[in-house]
Amino acid sequence: MSDQSTNTQLEEWKQVYTSLIEFGRSALTSSALLNGGAAAAIIAAATADVSLILSRLFWAILFFSLGAASALLALGLAYFSEFCFLERVGESQSQPKYQKYEGPVRWWAIICGLLSFILFVGGIVSAFLVLR
């Protein structure tokens, strides 16, 4: 394989990798904003009756708040996973010190991201059941 085709493949890989990272970051940021916005909207809509918040909409607010926290945790974990990846790629040793963290942290970021979306749906269902 020539150096030019190897360089082209490397550039294509970098573009795909960058796009994937940006897509994930956008999805997690959107999830945090949706969950946090939904929790704030419910609280703002129910300010006239505080007991309504505490009794009937408690679960919806809890789901949305935990969803926002989960999305933010996923963003932090994804950042650390990318840090480990970049440190590992930059290392010249055969046993990079960050390699043991990269995989588990990436999986926890994925789990937290999925949990955020599940909690968002749970909040929607909980609010719907109360407000129907």
Side-chain angles (χ1 to χ4, degrees), residues 22-73:
E22 287 301 316
F23 177 77
R25 184 178 302 131
S26 296
L28 290 173
T29 302
S30 298
S31 180
L33 291 173
L34 282 171
N35 279 295
I42 288 175
I43 292 171
T47 54
D49 187 2
V50 176
S51 64
L52 177 67
I53 295 173
L54 297 176
S55 62
R56 297 179 64 203
L57 292 173
F58 172 79
W59 291 107
I61 293 170
L62 182 65
F63 283 140
F64 288 134
S65 298
L66 290 175
S70 180
L72 292 174
L73 179 61

